[in-house]
Amino acid sequence: MKTKPSFTVNKLSLAIISVISAATLLTATPVYSQEPAPVRDPGEVIPIEPIEVISVTGRLRSSASEATEERREQIAVADIMGSEQISRTGDGDAAAALRRVTGLTLKDGKFIYVRGLGERYSSTSLNGATVPSPDPTRNVVPLDMFPASIIESLSVQKSASANSPAAFGGGHVDIRTKSIPADFFFKASVGGRYNTNDSNDSYTYNGGGDDWTGQDDGTRSMPSNINNTINQYGGISPIDIVSNSNGAINYPAAQQVNRELALDMYRDMTVHSQSTDPAMRGDIAIGDRWDITDDIIFGALSAVSYKKQAENYTKREVELDGDSSQVQVENQKDIVGTDSIVQVSGMLNLGLEIGYNHKIETFTTYLQDTSDDVSMGIEETIDTLGEPNALQVYAIDYEERSLISNQIKGHHFIEYLNDSEFNWKFSDARSERYAPNEVSYTYNVILDESNQLLSRNLNTQDAPKYVYSRLEDDSQNYGWDFMYPINLDGAVVKLTTGYEYFERTRESYATRLGFDVDLSPTDANGAILAGDFDEIFSDKNITDNTLGLELKDASTDTEDYIAAEKNDAAFVSMDIDFDDVWRVYAGIRYEDFRRVTLPIDPNGEISDEGGRYQLSDYVIAEDGWFPSLSLTWKQTDTTQWRFGASKTIVRPDLREVSPVRFQDPVTGFDFFGNPELKSSDILNLDLRWEYYSDSGNNFSMGAFYKDVDAPIEPIQRISEAGRQLKFYNAQSGYVYGLETEFLQELEFLGSDGSIWEDFFVAGNLTLGDSEIDIAANGEIDPTNKTRRMTGHSQWVANLQLSYDSSDSYHSATLVYNVFGERIAYGGRGGLDDVFEKPFHSLDFTYSFFPTDSFTVKVKAKNILGETTEYEQQDLQVYAKDPGTEFTLQFSYEY
């Protein structure tokens, strides 16, 4: 085993870009696009947008109407959710809030499916800039990392435009953080949480659960002596040490060196239970603006958010074998565990207005999400089901995810050029996933009839494993756009051109080590194996060689990779408004995309997967033209029609083209990348009718259709046991549906002065279907060659009943969300596909405003006590109980 290469980001960029150059891929001219600018008249001055520092006594219907008005003026089909709407539903982060949007469903509590298309078909930006993901299993940013306290609004664009990235499938989500306030303000909140699962004890270990900062203190990290030994001897095994010591070390001495390395590892990892600690959360925000001169205004806003809680859960995982005529349980595992979470976020935004025509803004955002998941499971195989013997599996998965983004933007109106507009931006971001100590070990156990433990011994056939991993992802995104207005008789024409450049580099490394024990329960010292983990691997037992211990490199599959990608884009568009009746938008975008992903084998060399792949197989180079068209007809003052058509593309994620193994953190399924994947071209069609009343009520109905060429699907491989899946291109696919949305006051149900004036209802419903065709090959044999797309629900519904008291002291909302069953992954060998069952989410939020500055908020989440479930052949193969959650929050605002 050799030392894994360690690059600085610049060296990594140069190394990989040189590979691309050698493959004659760097032939593009950098170009850029800007995020969609708000619609405005030529010459209109846009000041620094203030935070609405009104208290929540303002009705939701007002804030919802503001978001609706923004949606009404968009050139594309879009949905907007403002901060007041998020506050109303009580959702704590961007992911939870977005599931209220029409046609959106939430996956794993982190990722958004838009119009039934998986997260690979969605893209995310922060204040209009692309940011990297700290999750190695996804290309998109986990949206649960964005606390609601820093969000100003959420925009979901569902039809493409030339000034948005061509990598557009289901939709694009832009998270807009709080902007500069109009006056001084200060807001602070503190709260707590209780979950029905808290009545169970939490699982932890020494060194776990007390990391209140969300950062490891260094005890978990891999000892530096291990890398030093690898550098000196080319490996850590006694054979490596003897072979490369030039005769200076004999085999017994090499064994001692190896055991000393084991002594350096953190081994106080015995899992035990304790009472669940109370959860806590808090937010602080402060902002102001100052008149420097008559023409210069400076503003600043800072916010900090903190959350710490222990989430207890129960989970079941079942693996089936056979076919539809004869199904048998191959493996079954019942798990109890605790996920200790610490989330920290910080934000500093600055704004400078120079005169009436110039504005410069900066946005600095820091997000950190730490998870320390500790679990114990009883696992039974086909040979032990119904028998007293089983496996007791312990797992400790600690990870830190972080994202820091620095952005600067400029907005300029040029009066002497017919009030034209010039915008520019630059963004630099880094994300990281640091997992310094993921540990797993297993005991052979004997259980009585009530599943109580009678005896146990460490399973030495499955050696205890330590995994140390790190992912670093750096990106830059910059560019400009220029809009020139032309006033014609009866029409306003806006001509826009833009340029965008995006680049990203990634390093992903993992080291697997194992404690290989040459001791059995029948040996003289075999009783030691019945002890706890820290007792078995005590300093004395290792030093005295009681265990016959050898620290081994447990790496088997290729897991490491380095990657870089560059995307150059340019666009031109024309936006014509005919007397505020017809509006025509037409644009075209050109993109030149290049990517290289290099898998690194355990020896630190570029892997060719046993000669299966060549270097050119790890390279993607493609360019193309992507037209978009949008037509809006304002039928009356209150109604309008929209039509949109566009061509877009969805490129495979880095993880999907990297021929390395990775594990889904939620389900535990093993996935493998496929360098042979190709991008999916998409034809998008949209039609929507919208109604907006003067009172704020609104209603819309729409239809959409997407033709997807070569959609990417995860398929279980023939030759692999267990849930081991690989990504493949299906032959073709399509998705279509109908969407409807409404907001309606209920005062018509009563007379003047009736309590019904204080109620309103809002909701949305999406109905649709999809289909893909998958051909069998030497690696896969799908049971259903034609089926729905993975992750697609045939229906999604949201319903919201809200109350605002006429005296402005009380506010309440009852929210219901449900999605239809969706395919988690395709079945093989005669077994049906695996379906995720509907989850009926019912939440309630109540707010009390005793003064203009003070607020008390209570929320109940998952009132129905629903469980996440997967089924195959009508048998439950996965289930997780999140419990019912109650939160209490006190807020003060000045």
Side-chain angles (χ1 to χ4, degrees):
M1 181 175 69
K2 297 181 180 179
T3 305
K4 293 181 171 61
S6 178
F7 299 103
T8 64
V9 172
N10 289 335
K11 288 181 179 179
L12 175 66
S13 302
L14 292 173
I16 299 183
I17 297 303
S18 66
V19 174
I20 304 179
S21 300
T24 66
L25 300 178
L26 295 182
T27 58
T29 302
V31 283
Y32 183 83
S33 81
Q34 172 72 3
E35 76 278 1
V39 178
R40 48 184 173 261
D41 296 330
E44 179 186 351
V45 177
I46 304 299
I48 296 176
E49 295 90 356
I51 287 184
E52 295 188 16
V53 292
I54 58 171
S55 65
V56 189
T57 54
R59 298 176 184 271
L60 172 68
R61 67 194 77 176
S62 299
S63 60
S65 297
E66 293 171 6
T68 300
E69 186 62 26
E70 181 181 352
R71 183 185 73 174
R72 183 178 184 177
E73 297 301 324
Q74 293 284 319
I75 59 172
V77 175
D79 289 301
I80 312 293
M81 175 173 281
S83 59
E84 292 297 327
Q85 292 169 280
I86 299 173
S87 175
R88 159 72 71 174
T89 57
D91 294 315
D93 54 63
L98 282 167
R99 66 191 169 125
R100 315 296 183 188
V101 175
T102 309
L104 272 63
T105 57
L106 186 62
K107 176 68 173 177
D108 301 336
K110 304 176 183 180
F111 305 104
I112 290 297
Y113 284 14
V114 182
R115 290 178 163 176
L117 295 169
E119 76 271 0
R120 82 166 54 81
Y121 294 94
S122 302
S123 55
T124 304
S125 61
L126 179 62
N127 297 312
T130 303
V131 290
S133 173
D135 192 325
T137 67
R138 301 292 193 278
N139 194 44
V140 294
V141 180
L143 295 175
D144 63 326
M145 292 185 65
F146 295 88
S149 59
I150 72 170
I151 297 172
E152 180 72 19
S153 63
L154 298 168
S155 169
V156 182
Q157 185 175 333
K158 295 180 178 178
S159 65
S161 56
N163 56 355
S164 59
F168 183 98
H172 176 79
V173 178
D174 186 33
I175 302 171
R176 307 162 179 175
T177 57
K178 299 282 190 180
S179 54
I180 306 305
D183 296 295
F184 172 80
F185 90 100
F186 170 81
K187 184 175 182 178
S189 66
V190 63
R193 162 194 176 272
Y194 173 77
N195 189 291
T196 52
N197 288 339
D198 291 350
S199 58
N200 303 321
D201 286 340
S202 296
Y203 284 85
T204 186
Y205 58 99
N206 292 338
D210 296 326
D211 304 299
W212 68 272
T213 63
Q215 292 185 320
D216 178 49
D217 58 5
T219 58
R220 298 178 178 87
S221 59
M222 188 171 72
S224 59
N225 283 345
I226 291 178
N227 264 334
N228 294 338
T229 302
I230 294 171
N231 291 332
Q232 184 174 0
Y233 300 110
I236 60 173
S237 71
I239 294 177
D240 288 331
I241 296 172
V242 171
S243 300
N244 297 285
S245 65
N246 298 320
I249 301 179
N250 58 26
Y251 194 78
Q255 288 181 305
Q256 181 61 32
V257 171
N258 179 271
R259 288 194 293 270
E260 289 174 357
L261 295 177
L263 284 169
D264 289 339
M265 297 177 66
Y266 187 68
R267 289 162 285 114
D268 196 359
M269 305 294 283
T270 296
V271 173
H272 61 268
S273 61
Q274 65 179 23
S275 298
T276 303
D277 294 332
M280 62 173 296
R281 57 189 65 187
D283 306 283
I284 298 177
I286 187 170
D288 202 356
R289 57 192 290 151
W290 300 269
D291 295 332
I292 307 301
T293 69
D294 291 341
D295 294 325
I296 300 177
I297 299 174
F298 175 75
L301 169 71
S302 179
V304 176
S305 176
Y306 179 83
K307 179 170 74 173
K308 183 179 186 298
Q309 62 191 41
E311 299 180 354
N312 298 330
Y313 62 85
T314 59
K315 186 166 62 172
R316 165 168 284 198
E317 299 173 358
V318 178
E319 180 186 333
L320 303 181
D321 199 3
D323 56 34
S324 58
S325 62
Q326 185 176 2
V327 181
Q328 61 185 16
V329 176
E330 187 76 12
N331 187 284
Q332 176 177 301
K333 187 186 294 186
D334 291 293
I335 302 169
V336 291
T338 302
D339 191 4
S340 298
I341 293 173
V342 176
Q343 290 182 336
V344 182
S345 66
M347 180 182 69
L348 176 63
N349 296 343
L350 307 175
L352 183 68
E353 283 186 26
I354 304 173
Y356 292 100
N357 295 328
H358 305 281
K359 180 173 68 172
I360 298 175
E361 298 173 287
T362 67
F363 302 87
T364 297
T365 306
Y366 174 76
L367 306 171
Q368 180 178 294
D369 183 357
T370 299
S371 168
D372 196 2
D373 195 317
V374 183
S375 66
M376 185 277 292
I378 298 297
E379 181 177 358
E380 298 182 83
T381 67
I382 189 173
D383 297 322
T384 64
L385 283 169
E387 300 294 329
N389 53 311
L391 298 175
Q392 187 180 46
V393 182
Y394 290 93
I396 300 170
D397 298 314
Y398 177 92
E399 70 169 1
E400 299 171 11
R401 300 181 300 171
S402 63
L403 169 67
I404 183 167
S405 172
N406 294 294
Q407 302 169 288
I408 184 170
K409 291 183 178 182
H411 310 272
H412 309 276
F413 292 93
I414 308 172
E415 293 182 357
Y416 61 84
L417 284 180
N418 198 29
D419 288 333
S420 58
E421 180 182 347
F422 179 72
N423 299 306
W424 56 270
K425 68 177 181 180
F426 174 84
S427 173
D428 182 88
R430 161 174 280 210
S431 66
E432 181 177 353
R433 177 186 182 268
Y434 175 51
N437 194 359
E438 296 176 279
V439 178
S440 61
Y441 54 91
T442 303
Y443 286 87
N444 295 313
V445 298
I446 302 296
L447 306 174
D448 63 17
E449 293 181 356
S450 59
N451 285 330
Q452 297 300 308
L453 187 67
L454 297 177
S455 66
R456 69 172 187 173
N457 288 286
L458 185 73
N459 185 343
T460 57
Q461 301 301 311
D462 183 12
K465 293 181 178 61
Y466 284 69
V467 183
Y468 305 91
S469 61
R470 181 186 293 272
L471 177 145
E472 294 180 356
D473 203 331
D474 291 81
S475 69
Q476 284 191 350
N477 185 200
Y478 58 83
W480 55 265
D481 67 41
F482 176 76
M483 186 277 292
Y484 186 81
I486 301 174
N487 294 305
L488 302 176
D489 186 18
V492 176
V493 180
K494 296 180 181 180
L495 302 176
T496 306
T497 185
Y499 155 78
E500 181 175 7
Y501 175 76
F502 173 77
E503 74 172 27
R504 176 169 66 169
T505 59
R506 174 180 285 188
E507 300 178 64
S508 180
Y509 295 121
T511 298
R512 292 178 178 266
L513 302 176
F515 284 159
D516 191 15
V517 176
D518 185 20
L519 180 68
S520 71
T522 58
D523 294 334
N525 294 318
I528 292 175
L529 298 180
D532 290 333
F533 185 86
D534 60 330
E535 296 172 342
I536 297 173
F537 297 100
S538 65
D539 290 352
K540 183 178 185 303
N541 287 343
I542 295 176
T543 302
D544 295 346
N545 198 24
T546 304
L547 305 173
L549 175 69
E550 180 179 329
L551 180 63
K552 287 191 172 183
D553 177 11
S555 300
T556 54
D557 301 299
T558 299
E559 296 183 73
D560 304 340
Y561 66 93
I562 56 177
E565 64 183 30
K566 301 176 76 172
N567 190 28
D568 299 310
F571 78 91
V572 293
S573 67
M574 177 175 61
D575 184 4
I576 309 175
D577 193 329
F578 295 95
D579 286 331
D580 203 31
V581 176
W582 289 92
R583 186 177 181 186
V584 179
Y585 173 89
I588 190 165
R589 183 181 181 90
Y590 171 79
E591 287 195 357
D592 190 351
F593 178 82
R594 290 134 291 155
R595 174 195 287 164
V596 61
T597 307
L598 303 178
I600 308 298
D601 64 24
N603 293 322
E605 305 293 337
I606 296 175
S607 171
D608 62 359
E609 290 294 296
R612 178 174 182 177
Y613 300 116
Q614 298 179 353
L615 184 61
S616 59
D617 294 324
Y618 300 141
V619 174
I620 295 177
E622 55 191 19
D623 62 351
W625 298 88
F626 303 94
S628 57
L629 173 69
S630 177
L631 177 64
T632 304
W633 174 39
K634 299 181 181 179
Q635 183 179 16
T636 67
D637 291 340
T638 58
T639 62
Q640 65 182 24
W641 291 83
R642 293 183 184 274
F643 171 76
S646 61
K647 176 190 174 184
T648 58
I649 192 171
V650 172
R651 303 180 180 101
D653 297 347
L654 282 174
R655 54 152 185 155
E656 294 173 343
V657 297
S658 306
V660 300
R661 180 176 72 92
F662 63 90
Q663 188 176 75
D664 184 273
V666 177
T667 62
F669 301 168
D670 284 331
F671 284 81
F672 294 84
N674 182 4
E676 298 173 353
L677 288 178
K678 63 179 182 178
S679 299
S680 304
D681 292 317
I682 304 179
L683 172 65
N684 308 275
L685 298 175
D686 280 274
L687 178 65
R688 185 155 82 175
W689 176 80
E690 301 168 352
Y691 165 77
Y692 305 93
S693 73
D694 295 335
S695 63
N697 299 329
N698 62 80
F699 180 79
S700 69
M701 293 186 64
F704 63 89
Y705 174 82
K706 296 178 182 292
D707 187 279
V708 186
D709 179 52
I712 298 171
E713 292 281 312
I715 309 292
Q716 191 171 6
R717 294 192 288 179
I718 298 172
S719 58
E720 301 294 343
R723 294 189 186 90
Q724 297 190 2
L725 299 95
K726 189 174 179 179
F727 296 97
Y728 299 90
N729 285 110
Q731 295 170 305
S732 61
Y734 61 84
V735 58
Y736 63 89
L738 300 173
E739 296 178 332
T740 182
E741 181 178 8
F742 68 92
L743 177 101
Q744 177 65 52
E745 296 176 331
L746 298 181
E747 59 182 0
F748 68 90
L749 295 177
S751 58
D752 290 343
S754 168
I755 191 174
W756 288 110
E757 293 183 353
D758 299 335
F759 284 89
F760 67 95
V761 64
N764 54 69
L765 174 67
T766 302
L767 303 174
D769 205 353
S770 65
E771 185 175 292
I772 58 172
D773 294 316
I774 308 173
N777 58 38
E779 287 191 317
I780 60 173
D781 181 23
T783 299
N784 298 313
K785 306 296 191 296
T786 299
R787 59 168 172 81
R788 295 209 312 269
M789 298 182 71
T790 299
H792 180 253
S793 297
Q794 291 182 307
W795 50 272
V796 181
N798 284 283
L799 187 62
Q800 174 179 322
L801 176 64
S802 293
Y803 167 77
D804 288 306
S805 66
S806 56
D807 59 11
S808 299
Y809 284 116
H810 308 278
S811 174
T813 297
L814 185 66
V815 186
Y816 174 73
N817 169 267
V818 65
F819 58 84
E821 68 174 16
R822 55 195 182 196
I823 296 176
Y825 61 90
R828 65 160 192 181
L831 288 175
D832 198 4
D833 302 322
V834 177
F835 289 91
E836 182 178 0
K837 305 303 289 181
F839 188 98
H840 298 267
S841 171
L842 183 64
D843 304 336
F844 176 75
T845 303
Y846 166 75
S847 298
F848 174 55
F849 312 101
T851 70
D852 289 341
S853 299
F854 192 67
T855 305
V856 181
K857 180 181 290 186
V858 180
K859 180 182 178 182
K861 181 180 178 182
N862 191 24
I863 297 173
L864 301 178
E866 286 284 276
T867 299
T868 299
E869 291 184 273
Y870 292 6
E871 285 189 1
Q872 185 178 28
Q873 300 292 153
D874 296 325
L875 297 175
Q876 187 185 80
V877 295
Y878 177 84
K880 186 174 182 179
D881 179 14
T884 300
E885 179 180 282
F886 303 91
T887 58
L888 175 64
Q889 178 179 291
F890 301 91
S891 300
Y892 173 80
E893 183 173 345
Y894 173 77

